Amino acid sequence: MAGHQRISTANDQRENGRQQVFEAIRQAGRIARIDIARETQVSPATVTAITSELLSAGLIEEITPEGDRTGAKRGRPRVALKVRGAAHLIAGIKISDRSATVILVDFEGQTVGEYDHELPGPVMSPEEMVSLVMRALAGACNAAGRDISEVSGVGLGIAGLIDATRNFVHWSPSLDQRNVELGRMLSDAMPVPFYMDNDANLVAKAEQLFGEARNVSDFIVITIEQGVGMGIVIDGRIYRGERGCGAEFGHTKVQLDGALCRCGQRGCLEAYVGDYALLREANIRGSAQPEDDLSALYARAKAGDAMARSIFDRAGRMFAMGLANVINIFDPSLVILSGEQMTFDFLYGSDVLDRVKSSVVQVDAPLPEIRVHKWGDLMWAKGAAACAMEGVSELTIRNLGADAA
């Protein structure tokens, strides 16, 4: 029995070593073996053995940077390693209130194809959601001239309270039911591994792998669109909480018995800052015509409309209070404000940032850096692809260990 435990422990250590080395290669983009050993604190001999396995499995490849002859007196070029893009084709899907956006990427994260599939409506049954995802995936493959059988993994980003470890939806504004085994339903429907997470967490993953937070170990992403989301990365890993419901910034309370949120509770930050909340407030205040276009409402505020301006001013005050609380709790090195609403500056104008700074605990050290990253649904989809890419990597490397055993 003790011998079996020792073998199991050794196998686990080898698998962890493979994962560590592979992630170091992905993070660096291109890196030499000696630098992998330095980054991971794994011995050079072990790094050589692991990279040989990864090369044989086709997950990585060797490259010789042109003109690089820094490594040898005899002029032999220094060989680097990189992830092999052709190893796997990955799909990422983002469900918004208007469409399902699909991106196909290779294993390096390079875009292979993009596709947008219109939704029949903003809310659907779980069965309709499964059908929609399958149609969107098939459409993306057809548009890119690829077959669905070539896809190694699919990631899905959806708003709401999501338990990513179980692929379980506690609640989502896109579904007409609560407590849905959506992951199981989608896994039954598609022939490839499936991964799912809250869409804000996936944006954090995209920022970590491809965006503003590369090589940043502790940061927070806040997304503002129809709703308000947050992704927290601590020591390089996404924090989700015990039930998968952590980091629900949009559902923190900013007003006792306040405005009704679409989650069913009152006083949530989202009920004052989300797209639907701003338009609802304009209609409640008796706008001359029904408001259904946030851009038009914002243009009126900029033009001096007192009612429109007061709505955005209140949203800015509420957001500043919420953001200051987040900084006081987590003290991150970087905060990234992301999403479609970043087209409008009412949530990151100088007056809002001044309110944030005045409400953050004051110490003799710089405040966290706040960056604005404007992008649309395609970046959300790339975050879903990053989630699937990570899952496929772990699965493939685990299988390497099983084959070796």
Side-chain angles (χ1 to χ4, degrees):
M1 184 67 174
H4 175 76
Q5 288 177 337
R6 283 196 295 272
I7 292 171
S8 177
T9 300
N11 288 339
D12 289 344
Q13 288 175 341
R14 280 195 291 270
E15 182 179 325
N16 290 337
R18 293 184 188 103
Q19 297 282 3
Q20 195 177 3
V21 168
F22 183 79
E23 285 308 312
I25 296 169
R26 180 180 292 287
Q27 186 70 29
R30 286 156 173 73
I31 187 170
R33 288 173 177 83
I34 189 64
D35 295 323
I36 296 173
R38 188 180 301 113
E39 288 286 331
T40 62
Q41 299 299 303
V42 174
S43 72
T46 301
V47 167
T48 298
I50 289 173
T51 54
S52 178
E53 291 179 327
L54 298 176
L55 283 164
S56 296
L59 293 177
I60 63 174
E61 59 188 356
E62 292 182 329
I63 55 169
T64 304
E66 198 172 323
D68 183 356
R69 298 193 172 271
T70 59
K73 295 179 182 177
R74 291 173 293 179
R76 187 166 64 187
R78 185 178 185 182
V79 175
L81 298 167
K82 64 182 280 291
V83 173
R84 181 171 167 265
H88 291 287
L89 181 67
I90 305 293
I93 305 173
K94 151 70 174 175
I95 304 295
S96 70
D97 61 319
R98 300 178 300 274
S99 65
T101 301
V102 187
I103 188 169
L104 296 175
V105 300
D106 67 15
F107 212 40
E108 280 190 278
Q110 300 300 313
T111 301
V112 174
E114 304 168 8
Y115 183 75
D116 208 54
H117 188 91
E118 187 175 348
L119 266 61
V123 182
M124 63 196 83
S125 70
E127 293 77 14
E128 289 170 332
M129 174 74 77
V130 171
S131 177
L132 168 78
V133 168
M134 295 306 297
R135 290 197 308 274
L137 179 60
C141 289
N142 288 337
R146 308 295 288 264
D147 191 89
I148 194 171
S149 63
E150 298 178 63
V151 177
S152 297
V154 177
L156 176 69
I158 184 171
L161 307 179
I162 314 297
D163 186 339
T165 59
R166 298 165 52 204
N167 281 343
F168 182 83
V169 182
H170 292 286
W171 168 79
S172 171
S174 298
L175 292 172
D176 63 5
Q177 299 175 31
R178 299 179 73 98
N179 301 318
V180 177
E181 295 274 5
L182 187 63
R184 178 187 57 77
M185 295 172 67
L186 280 163
S187 293
D188 289 344
M190 64 177 60
V192 296
F194 170 78
Y195 308 89
M196 178 174 65
D197 205 344
N198 170 273
D199 50 5
N201 283 341
L202 297 181
V203 171
K205 177 58 67 176
E207 294 285 10
Q208 185 180 39
L209 290 184
F210 314 118
E212 298 287 332
R214 293 195 72 164
N215 301 316
V216 179
S217 61
D218 298 275
F219 67 94
I220 287 175
V221 171
I222 293 175
T223 61
I224 308 101
E225 294 196 308
Q226 275 290 324
V228 179
M230 181 166 69
I232 302 171
V233 175
I234 300 174
D235 197 21
R237 301 184 68 85
I238 291 177
Y239 174 79
R240 294 185 173 89
E242 179 66 26
R243 300 172 300 160
C245 303
E248 285 300 328
F249 179 51
H251 301 291
T252 55
K253 303 302 179 279
V254 294
Q255 181 70 49
L256 184 65
D257 298 325
L260 181 65
C261 179
R262 59 182 178 172
C263 76
Q265 296 189 344
R266 289 187 175 275
C268 296
L269 176 65
E270 182 177 297
Y272 296 91
V273 174
D275 290 10
Y276 73 91
L278 300 171
L279 294 171
R280 177 181 64 187
E281 182 67 14
N283 288 314
I284 288 174
R285 293 198 189 185
S287 180
Q289 55 190 21
E291 294 287 355
D292 59 4
D293 184 343
L294 191 63
S295 297
L297 184 63
Y298 186 67
R300 285 171 50 194
K302 282 293 191 181
D305 184 292
M307 183 270 289
R309 180 179 291 176
S310 68
I311 291 172
F312 288 105
D313 284 346
R314 184 179 72 166
R317 292 195 303 274
M318 293 293 192
F319 182 72
M321 177 169 58
L323 181 54
N325 287 336
V326 166
I327 293 173
N328 283 335
I329 292 170
F330 291 101
D331 190 28
S333 62
L334 172 65
V335 176
I336 303 172
L337 306 181
S338 302
E340 195 172 332
Q341 267 200 33
M342 293 303 103
T343 305
F344 314 121
D345 66 1
F346 70 94
L347 294 181
Y348 61 90
S350 58
D351 56 336
V352 174
L353 296 182
D354 286 344
R355 286 194 188 102
V356 172
K357 291 172 184 176
S358 66
S359 300
V360 170
V361 172
Q362 300 297 311
V363 295
D364 293 328
L367 288 172
E369 182 181 2
I370 299 176
R371 297 182 194 168
V372 176
H373 190 183
K374 305 174 186 179
W375 40 254
D377 287 339
L378 197 60
M379 185 68 171
W380 298 82
K382 197 160 189 179
C387 172
M389 193 183 301
E390 189 174 72
V392 169
S393 299
E394 292 177 0
L395 184 62
T396 305
I397 291 172
R398 192 176 306 128
N399 289 339
L400 277 181
D403 292 341

